[in-house]
Amino acid sequence: MFGFIKRKQKKTAVADKVIAENSSLTDSALANSDITQDNSADLSQSLEKTKRTFSDGMADFFLGKKSIDDELLEELETRLLKADVGIDATTTIINELQLNISRKVISDAESLQLKLAEIMKSILTPCEQPLSTVIENTETDKPFVILVVGINGAGKTTSIGKLANHFLTQGKSIMLAAGDTFRAAAVEQLQAWGERNNVPVVSQGTGADPASVIFDAVESASSKNIDIVIADTAGRLHTQDNLMDELAKIKRVLGKIDPNAPHETLIVMDAGFGQNALHQVQQFNDSIGLTGLAVTKLDGTAKGGILFSIANTLNLPVRFIGVGEGINDLRPFNASEFVDALLE
């Protein structure tokens, strides 16, 4: 083993970072989305910060190596860890490279790069399970219900607006449910996205019972033959038992309409929170049961390697990745495309 992996990982307290969620969808944000909605940034450019952490200088380093040695592997390991790939996933990658070196499959820097890409893709591919495919293969009466959860600041409400646009482009009819009734601004933000996408939004007053709001939305969507309901919920920490109980209540109430609803419990995770966010996802999953993730803000962090930690520690699909502010920049996750962009 090399570098950091030789050392025993220290147990540290995980501090849940909470940042204030945008109170409303500002005119400037809408304008920026308009500019980029038909010209989504190239994925490689969107991952530039993570790429710099991982690969800056590595190309020259590889080119200067006529043979594979411990120095090269240790440098590679260090960069994987700095990109927040995580101890376990990094161990898997390095061990697999060592095995291929011993078997003479890897003999030079070029073959190491090719094998590295292959290993990274093999880690991420099991997470590649598009939600659109799930919807098409789910035998249920309409609507298909997506319950969106997460902590404050992860980008839940904005992601819902982008999800609505994504499914609209696939010819689906959409209804939104404003289940974050704790903040009037959250309802206003969702309504702004509803107007933008020209889809109905079911809402009640501030302080209304979220389960009641979402129940009404699903009943209304059912009567109107709407394909998909996307329900917002209040941001919360996994340590807030009363709010976690509220999510459990929402799921119980929806079960009265359809025993399988919600059909998708999607957590929106801010990639910039790194390993802390991974811990939060694990706790949410333990509390209410998750079926998928949307990993946002990958364009603004050097910690894009967190996807490898997700794949290595969670048995959850990554449904979408967020790589910009444009309305089309919440993309279905493609493992091969992601790795190619990272190593380009």
Side-chain angles (χ1 to χ4, degrees):
M1 304 299 279
F2 299 87
F4 293 110
I5 297 178
K6 288 181 179 178
R7 309 184 190 107
K8 183 178 180 181
Q9 185 180 15
K10 295 181 180 179
K11 291 184 178 180
T12 57
V14 178
D16 292 312
K17 296 173 68 179
V18 182
I19 58 176
E21 190 170 19
N22 291 334
S23 61
S24 63
L25 188 62
T26 63
D27 290 339
S28 61
L30 282 169
N32 189 48
S33 293
D34 282 329
I35 291 171
T36 58
Q37 63 179 325
D38 295 321
N39 187 28
S40 297
D42 177 79
L43 182 58
S44 180
Q45 294 176 343
S46 298
L47 296 176
E48 190 61 38
K49 289 188 178 181
T50 298
K51 283 178 59 179
R52 285 203 302 268
T53 298
F54 175 68
S55 60
D56 265 15
M58 282 296 284
D60 292 338
F61 189 75
F62 275 122
L63 288 173
K65 291 287 181 181
K66 295 182 179 180
S67 61
I68 305 301
D69 57 20
D70 288 0
E71 181 186 6
L72 189 152
L73 287 173
E74 184 162 346
E75 174 67 15
L76 175 59
E77 176 199 272
T78 299
R79 289 176 180 272
L80 287 168
L81 291 168
K82 284 184 177 180
D84 225 9
V85 169
I87 294 288
D88 291 341
T90 298
T91 300
T92 298
I93 292 169
I94 295 297
N95 283 349
E96 189 68 21
L97 289 174
Q98 285 182 284
L99 181 62
N100 280 274
I101 290 169
S102 67
R103 292 176 174 175
K104 308 299 183 182
V105 175
I106 296 174
S107 58
D108 54 25
E110 182 180 359
S111 59
L112 185 145
Q113 286 180 293
L114 291 172
K115 181 56 69 173
L116 174 62
E118 180 183 317
I119 295 167
M120 293 172 79
K121 289 176 184 179
S122 71
I123 292 173
L124 292 182
T125 297
C127 295
E128 185 185 315
Q129 300 177 39
L131 186 53
S132 295
T133 302
V134 174
I135 293 172
E136 292 302 325
N137 293 334
T138 298
E139 295 183 3
T140 185
D141 293 332
K142 295 179 182 180
F144 185 95
V145 181
I146 303 171
L147 185 67
V148 181
V149 304
I151 71 165
N152 285 326
K156 288 191 312 330
T157 308
T158 299
S159 294
I160 289 171
K162 294 178 180 181
L163 281 174
N165 176 75
H166 170 74
F167 290 119
L168 285 169
T169 62
Q170 296 183 343
K172 302 295 185 183
S173 54
I174 308 296
M175 180 177 286
L176 305 182
D180 183 356
T181 61
F182 289 94
R183 296 186 305 114
V187 176
E188 293 170 1
Q189 185 181 1
L190 197 68
Q191 288 171 335
W193 276 109
E195 292 174 5
R196 180 191 175 100
N197 286 308
N198 195 28
V199 299
V201 179
V202 173
S203 63
Q204 296 179 15
T206 304
D209 180 12
S212 175
V213 175
I214 297 171
F215 182 90
D216 288 349
V218 174
E219 280 205 319
S220 175
S222 180
S223 68
K224 296 174 182 176
N225 206 33
I226 297 288
D227 294 317
I228 300 171
V229 169
I230 309 174
D232 194 9
T233 61
R236 67 204 72 212
L237 294 172
H238 59 271
T239 53
Q240 294 172 305
D241 291 341
N242 60 323
L243 294 177
M244 296 304 289
D245 289 344
E246 180 187 274
L247 288 179
K249 176 184 175 182
I250 291 170
K251 297 185 86 168
R252 286 196 308 272
V253 169
L254 289 176
K256 295 178 181 179
I257 301 176
D258 181 344
N260 296 316
H263 306 94
E264 174 83 357
T265 302
L266 181 75
I267 190 166
V268 176
M269 167 185 162
D270 184 341
F273 287 2
Q275 297 298 316
N276 285 352
L278 187 64
H279 175 69
Q280 291 160 358
V281 171
Q282 288 173 314
Q283 295 299 317
F284 267 87
N285 193 34
D286 290 343
S287 296
I288 61 169
L290 302 171
T291 55
L293 294 93
V295 184
T296 62
K297 307 181 185 180
L298 280 164
D299 57 311
T301 181
K303 298 181 178 182
I306 192 64
L307 286 178
F308 295 93
S309 275
I310 290 170
N312 209 61
T313 60
L314 299 173
N315 187 27
L316 289 172
V318 177
R319 304 295 196 193
F320 298 92
I321 57 172
V323 292
E325 295 183 7
I327 198 168
N328 290 327
D329 286 334
L330 188 70
R331 305 182 182 185
F333 176 61
N334 181 294
S336 181
E337 180 184 79
F338 182 83
V339 172
D340 288 343
L342 194 62
L343 297 182
E344 186 177 276

